[in-house]
Amino acid sequence: MAKKTQMVIGTWGIRSSFHSLIGLLLTVLIIAAVYLTQDRGRPSEDRTCGGDSLSHCNLFSGKWVFDNQTYPLYKENQCTFMSDQLACGRFGRKDLSYQNWRWQPHQCNLPRFNATALLERLKSKRLMFVGDSLNRGQWVSMVCLLDSWIPPKLKSMSSNGSLITFKAIEYNASIEFYWAPLLVESNSDDPVTHRLPERIVRVKAIEKHARHWTDADILIFDSYLWWRRPKMNVLWGSFESPDDAIYKDVEMLRVYEMALRTWSDWLEVHVNRTKTQLFFVSMSPTHERGKDWGGGANCYAETEPVSREGYWGSDSDPKMMRVVETVLDELKTRGVNVQMLNITQLSEYRKEGHPSIYRKQWDSLTEEQISDPSSYADCIHWCLPGVPDVWNEFLYAYIVHNKQIRCSFMMQRWNRKKTHFPLLVVLLLVFIVFTVLYNESNIQRIQENPDHVHHHQEASDRYVKPNRLNPGQEVLDRFSKCNSTRDYSGRRIAWVDRPAVNSQRRVASQTCDVFSGKWVFDNTSHPLYNESECPYMSDQLACHKHGRSDLGYQYWRWQPHNCNLKRWSVTEMWEKLRGKRLMFVGDSLNRGQWISMLCLLQSVIPANKRTITPNAPLTIFRAEEYNATVEFLWAPLLVESNSDDPVNHRSDERIIRPDSILKHASQWEHADILVFNTYLWWRQGPVKLLWSTEENGVCEELDGLGAMEMAMGAWADWVASKVDPLKKRVFFVTMSPTHLWSREWERGSEGNCYNEKTPIDLEGYWGSGSDLPTMSMLEKVLSRLGSKVSVLNITQLSEYRKDGHPSIYRKFWETLRPEQLSNPASYSDCIHWCLPGVPDVWNELLFHFL
């Protein structure tokens, strides 16, 4: 009887648990089906989108309609700022029908341009076009669209190098154009003299241009025309030092992608995502091959648009468009939305819209050219009024009617969702049939094999009952294996699942960002050790030993905002390290953190049970009782370099092998816990790249950031292929800030960290010693590695500690000159950190996560 009862209970257990699963799935499907069939689930045009037909429209899909009633939107001769390059009527063009074509989207009407509405939206804002002469043409078009609506005394035009600014004084608004035809630095950056036989670009250099864009509210970029050649000459170095530069011909598409990624990295770091609207104008087509549409030599004498729908000329490069789309899609995943103005297809039809021969010619025409007008016809730029006005109508729609356009994507998603309903019905029927068959087979199996129930019951007995008294804690416990520490950009870094003894302790760390907090003066519990009692203290970091009398820097404790940092425990840390190798890999800052760790750990190990054995670049501290080592490997650039000697590493030039990491990796690959850093050594000018170990190896020069990105790529490849997160913990320490300019925290001051005695009390302070483009690059590299690497984000918290550096209180390896001695600030070390001090907190953070 008991066995029968047990069988019934087991049967019910199986059926009940499976029914619960199926019930849940069926419930989800039924709710989804009901949602999709109800009218109230559909966004109402009247309620959500204002009833405008724009709400379900692809603006870029349509046709050109002749309309001489409402077009052109302005008169060529009435635009004060018309360009001679685009004023086709002024230079003799008689057929003006190119001005009367209106773009008609298939499913809606493009909003009528309203200058007043746009000016109201631009009040106290900067609208800036950045790019080449085609983008300048769009800027001229925008100025002409607004010009007649502004009284002469309330508008102005000014030029400053590459930047031209039109101001609407009454609205405190500016419409600007910045000449940067390749977006990154190039030898074509002069806005007047830029036609050179050879095109040279610095694909990693954009700051020269970008500093002019930083504060703009609306940015419209383009870059295409100047890339049209098989190869580009890439400069590794600077235009100011051409004799020291390295030039290399690279396939155009690759260089184009590199330049766009430099541009996208700049946007990600510098753009205010809540304030700035970003647009990228797709390639403007040329009409230089009449055979593409069955015409003459080119656009010369053309008077009508191409009538064939879907026409695509041979001068528009789909591969370049795909590169742009890829870069913009990646930006969107990183939280930066750049709206593509897809003007290519619609402009392809307009073969008659170019100036042809009707424009100012900057160079005198030859007799041969005059005898064959098509030979000098401009089939690249566009007459005004004309095609660029429509591009600006799109821009106007996105700026002024942005809400309705967003609604259009909601409507499109709704229409796509409706098509899924038949599939949901089929899935529903499949689940019903599967449920019946499964349960019948289970009942039959249990009747044939009652022992199965016994095993099932044993399994149920091992099941831990949920915490009914505290369901919130139950949920936290369930997810306690996920760590919520953040990296420096706020992105979550997934940590490997690890068992913990105390779930409450695990939960506490998850609900807190330990890198966000403040420094608290605490002379009760800090410092965690005495400088004079650490036998492994470095003379470079022993500030008190070398004369520093104010010891306040030792008493500051890091206090996270929403929790307490786990209290340092020497014995607990040694238990974590039992039978393991903890290795720090990097430069002198990482060596400082390693020394801090030794000083924190050594006090509980008897002198006869600990040893330290320097072995060239690798130094090993061993604790016999725990069979554990704490090691430091000197590898300041992670990859092989001419600075790999731990003593003699200061050379006039820095040379790396960017693809070679195995020499160092062979020493760290068997460590159980790895703590990496690299930053400082990339900040000291250009880096030479050696592509062979032979004496005649190829050597080229690259800026520090570009070279660091290549080296980090090699390191990341090693981590991705060699690290098993279940067996090895890998940490990356973000950049340690420097404090070289006191004017950054005290206006008007001209010193550095010398004589500083207290931290900076300005929350969120960020100095120039921490490089944002470098952090952005590191974020991209580290985010690709996921849970294989955890980030110790020490940058922001260390920024506050201007008082924590050795300054003049350390051993200097070279004799100081009289002029240095007379000016102590001139030789202050504002890079490294005194011990006890800031690196102890970095190790507390490491302990917290171990």
Side-chain angles (χ1 to χ4, degrees):
M1 179 67 181
K3 192 169 183 178
K4 183 177 180 181
T5 304
Q6 190 181 39
M7 185 181 76
V8 172
I9 292 171
T11 306
W12 173 252
I14 292 174
R15 295 186 63 183
S16 177
S17 60
F18 189 77
H19 277 159
S20 298
L21 174 62
I22 294 301
L24 177 63
L25 292 170
L26 291 178
T27 302
V28 170
L29 287 169
I30 291 168
I31 290 172
V34 171
Y35 163 73
L36 287 171
T37 54
Q38 283 186 327
D39 287 338
R40 68 171 180 264
R42 185 182 187 271
S44 164
E45 284 186 33
D46 294 332
R47 183 175 68 248
T48 310
C49 304
D52 195 291
S53 59
L54 187 63
S55 62
H56 49 82
C57 174
N58 176 2
L59 297 178
F60 306 111
S61 176
K63 62 181 179 179
W64 290 98
V65 176
F66 189 78
D67 179 357
N68 57 4
Q69 300 299 313
T70 60
Y71 281 73
L73 297 174
Y74 55 89
K75 301 292 184 184
E76 177 191 306
N77 58 7
Q78 292 176 357
C79 178
T80 315
F81 306 103
M82 179 59 68
S83 165
D84 282 345
Q85 190 179 27
L86 313 174
C88 304
R90 182 190 305 171
F91 286 90
R93 184 161 180 174
K94 302 301 181 186
D95 64 298
L96 301 182
S97 60
Y98 65 88
Q99 300 181 0
N100 303 124
W101 291 92
R102 170 172 55 82
W103 179 251
Q104 177 61 59
H106 284 313
Q107 298 172 333
C108 63
N109 293 318
L110 193 59
R112 175 74 175 172
F113 188 89
N114 184 324
T116 305
L118 182 58
L119 285 168
E120 284 293 337
R121 190 57 63 91
L122 295 180
K123 187 172 286 187
S124 299
K125 288 184 171 63
R126 292 177 66 199
L127 169 67
M128 183 181 286
F129 294 83
V130 178
D132 55 23
S133 55
L134 288 158
N135 216 14
R136 182 172 58 202
Q138 187 176 354
W139 168 76
V140 173
S141 161
M142 179 62 82
V143 170
C144 291
L145 285 164
L146 297 175
D147 178 36
S148 62
W149 295 86
I150 305 171
K153 293 184 179 180
L154 295 178
K155 61 191 175 190
S156 67
M157 182 75 78
S158 61
S159 178
N160 181 14
S162 296
L163 183 65
I164 310 174
T165 304
F166 171 83
K167 279 191 177 293
I169 297 169
E170 182 182 0
Y171 293 91
N172 188 30
S174 65
I175 294 90
E176 307 171 40
F177 170 72
Y178 184 85
W179 174 263
L182 297 142
L183 297 184
V184 293
E185 276 190 55
S186 75
N187 65 336
S188 301
D189 287 342
D190 189 292
V192 179
T193 310
H194 43 242
R195 296 201 172 276
L196 303 169
E198 187 176 32
R199 196 143 298 156
I200 305 171
V201 293
R202 291 185 65 204
V203 287
K204 290 292 182 180
I206 200 168
E207 281 298 327
K208 171 187 165 186
H209 299 321
R211 60 192 176 91
H212 296 280
W213 320 331
T214 305
D215 298 324
D217 300 278
I218 303 169
L219 281 163
I220 303 100
F221 295 94
D222 93 316
S223 190
Y224 165 61
L225 185 65
W226 285 63
W227 295 95
R228 297 194 313 162
R229 51 188 61 206
K231 290 191 173 184
M232 300 289 282
N233 205 334
V234 178
L235 168 65
W236 306 111
S238 70
F239 289 108
E240 289 73 26
S241 305
D243 294 337
D244 299 326
I246 301 293
Y247 297 88
K248 188 174 182 180
D249 277 338
V250 182
E251 189 263 330
M252 178 276 294
L253 197 63
R254 173 64 182 138
V255 185
Y256 185 58
E257 181 180 3
M258 292 168 72
L260 284 181
R261 292 194 184 282
T262 299
W263 166 78
S264 71
D265 289 345
W266 183 91
L267 290 180
E268 183 182 6
V269 172
H270 292 89
V271 161
N272 184 333
R273 303 177 192 192
T274 60
K275 168 196 167 192
T276 310
Q277 274 187 277
L278 300 168
F279 298 89
F280 193 96
V281 182
S282 66
M283 60 183 66
S284 171
T286 62
H287 292 90
E288 298 180 312
R289 296 181 175 89
K291 62 182 180 181
D292 286 351
W293 63 84
N298 50 30
C299 70
Y300 174 66
E302 293 289 346
T303 58
E304 297 283 336
V306 175
S307 59
R308 186 168 77 249
E309 188 166 359
Y311 165 79
W312 191 272
S314 59
D315 287 334
S316 297
D317 189 346
K319 292 180 180 178
M320 293 183 73
M321 291 192 75
R322 281 195 290 272
V323 169
V324 173
E325 289 172 358
T326 299
V327 171
L328 297 191
D329 287 344
E330 289 177 0
L331 265 176
K332 188 169 290 187
T333 64
R334 285 142 57 187
V336 181
N337 185 35
V338 181
Q339 175 61 52
M340 171 84 83
L341 291 183
N342 188 5
I343 58 94
T344 309
Q345 179 68 80
L346 63 96
S347 305
E348 281 280 10
Y349 302 121
R350 295 302 303 277
K351 58 181 170 60
E352 92 299 356
H354 299 285
S356 181
I357 65 172
Y358 305 105
R359 49 160 288 185
K360 183 174 181 177
Q361 306 293 336
W362 312 114
D363 299 320
S364 299
L365 298 173
T366 63
E367 290 184 7
E368 295 81 14
Q369 288 177 310
I370 293 172
S371 64
D372 179 15
S374 65
S375 66
Y376 67 93
D378 179 353
C379 299
I380 294 173
H381 302 94
W382 302 92
C383 296
L384 289 179
V387 173
D389 301 330
V390 172
W391 304 350
N392 281 322
E393 287 185 276
F394 293 136
L395 189 59
Y396 166 80
Y398 277 101
I399 295 172
V400 178
H401 296 267
N402 193 36
K403 179 181 176 183
Q404 293 178 357
I405 293 174
R406 285 200 306 268
C407 283
S408 72
F409 294 110
M410 291 168 56
M411 298 296 296
Q412 289 166 14
R413 283 199 299 268
W414 159 253
N415 291 330
R416 286 197 297 269
K417 281 200 298 183
K418 288 195 297 185
T419 62
H420 297 317
F421 179 67
L423 177 61
L424 287 171
V425 173
V426 172
L427 287 173
L428 193 61
L429 293 172
V430 168
F431 271 112
I432 292 171
V433 171
F434 181 70
T435 304
V436 172
L437 293 175
Y438 181 88
N439 280 285
E440 289 298 328
S441 64
N442 266 310
I443 293 169
Q444 182 178 357
R445 187 167 67 251
I446 290 167
Q447 289 172 342
E448 293 173 353
N449 184 17
D451 290 339
H452 171 77
V453 178
H454 178 67
H455 295 307
H456 175 80
Q457 188 62 39
E458 285 181 347
S460 344
D461 291 341
R462 290 195 298 269
Y463 171 69
V464 179
K465 292 183 180 179
N467 186 349
R468 299 299 178 198
L469 296 177
N470 188 354
Q473 182 62 45
E474 179 191 342
V475 173
L476 287 173
D477 287 342
R478 203 175 300 148
F479 289 93
S480 61
K481 61 184 178 181
C482 303
N483 193 310
S484 70
T485 272
R486 305 173 186 223
D487 71 0
Y488 44 78
S489 71
R491 183 180 304 209
R492 299 274 176 183
I493 295 292
W495 290 59
V496 60
D497 297 348
R498 287 192 178 267
V501 177
N502 188 328
S503 65
Q504 294 284 353
R505 194 174 294 161
R506 289 156 67 193
V507 170
S509 74
Q510 289 153 17
T511 57
C512 174
D513 176 4
V514 293
F515 304 117
S516 175
K518 62 181 179 179
W519 289 96
V520 176
F521 189 79
D522 178 359
N523 58 2
T524 303
S525 63
H526 282 62
L528 298 174
Y529 55 90
N530 292 321
E531 175 191 306
S532 60
E533 295 175 358
C534 178
Y536 309 107
M537 180 61 66
S538 164
D539 278 340
Q540 188 179 28
L541 312 175
C543 302
H544 181 50
K545 175 182 176 182
H546 289 276
R548 183 163 181 175
S549 57
D550 65 295
L551 301 183
Y553 66 90
Q554 299 184 1
Y555 300 123
W556 292 93
R557 171 173 54 82
W558 180 248
Q559 177 61 58
H561 283 313
N562 300 318
C563 62
N564 292 318
L565 195 59
K566 181 177 174 61
R567 175 70 178 165
W568 172 263
S569 168
V570 179
T571 54
E572 189 174 344
M573 184 64 174
W574 275 122
E575 287 299 332
K576 293 285 183 186
L577 297 179
R578 187 180 290 276
K580 291 185 172 62
R581 292 177 66 193
L582 166 62
M583 184 183 290
F584 294 81
V585 180
D587 56 23
S588 56
L589 288 157
N590 214 17
R591 181 171 59 201
Q593 186 175 354
W594 169 73
I595 292 171
S596 161
M597 182 63 82
L598 296 188
C599 293
L600 286 163
L601 290 173
Q602 57 84 30
S603 61
V604 299
I605 308 295
N608 62 346
K609 297 292 185 181
R610 65 189 186 211
T611 58
I612 189 162
T613 55
N615 180 17
L618 183 64
T619 309
I620 303 172
F621 174 87
R622 189 180 304 277
E624 294 180 14
E625 181 182 352
Y626 292 93
N627 186 28
T629 60
V630 183
E631 309 173 34
F632 172 71
L633 177 67
W634 173 263
L637 297 144
L638 297 187
V639 294
E640 272 191 66
S641 75
N642 67 334
S643 301
D644 286 344
D645 189 296
V647 179
N648 300 314
H649 44 244
R650 297 196 176 277
S651 56
D652 294 333
E653 59 181 4
R654 192 134 299 150
I655 305 172
I656 66 166
R657 293 186 61 206
D659 56 345
S660 177
I661 202 166
L662 295 182
K663 171 188 168 184
H664 297 323
S666 63
Q667 300 192 69
W668 76 52
E669 64 181 341
H670 297 300
D672 302 281
I673 303 166
L674 283 162
V675 184
F676 291 96
N677 93 316
T678 185
Y679 168 59
L680 186 64
W681 284 63
W682 301 101
R683 298 267 291 170
Q684 300 173 24
V687 178
K688 289 190 174 180
L689 313 180
L690 179 65
W691 296 103
S692 171
T693 56
E694 304 298 328
E695 291 184 3
N696 60 350
V698 178
C699 195
E700 59 187 18
E701 195 170 78
L702 191 59
D703 64 280
L705 179 58
M708 182 180 180
E709 185 171 7
M710 297 178 75
M712 286 298 298
W715 172 83
D717 289 344
W718 182 89
V719 172
S721 62
K722 300 292 186 181
V723 170
D724 179 356
L726 295 175
K727 298 178 180 178
K728 190 188 300 286
R729 293 296 299 272
V730 178
F731 293 88
F732 192 92
V733 182
T734 61
M735 59 184 69
S736 170
T738 60
H739 293 91
L740 303 174
W741 309 102
S742 60
R743 61 175 175 262
E744 294 181 349
W745 61 82
E746 184 180 348
R747 186 172 296 178
S749 173
E750 289 301 326
N752 51 27
C753 70
Y754 173 65
N755 238 5
E756 293 290 346
K757 298 179 181 179
T758 56
I760 295 168
D761 60 3
L762 178 65
E763 187 165 0
Y765 167 80
W766 194 272
S768 62
S770 300
D771 186 56
L772 289 172
T774 300
M775 294 188 81
S776 175
M777 179 274 293
L778 287 172
E779 180 188 5
K780 286 195 301 182
V781 173
L782 296 173
S783 63
R784 289 198 297 266
L785 294 172
S787 63
K788 289 178 180 285
V789 179
S790 303
V791 178
L792 287 183
N793 181 11
I794 57 93
T795 308
Q796 179 68 80
L797 64 93
S798 306
E799 279 280 9
Y800 303 120
R801 295 303 306 277
K802 60 180 171 59
D803 62 310
H805 299 286
S807 179
I808 64 172
Y809 304 106
R810 51 159 286 188
K811 180 175 181 178
F812 289 94
W813 315 117
E814 298 171 356
T815 305
L816 297 171
R817 301 187 304 274
E819 53 269 28
Q820 289 178 305
L821 292 171
S822 65
N823 179 20
S826 67
Y827 65 93
S828 288
D829 179 353
C830 299
I831 295 173
H832 301 94
W833 301 93
C834 296
L835 288 179
V838 173
D840 301 330
V841 171
W842 304 349
N843 283 321
E844 286 185 277
L845 291 166
L846 182 62
F847 171 68
H848 181 88
F849 293 114
L850 286 176

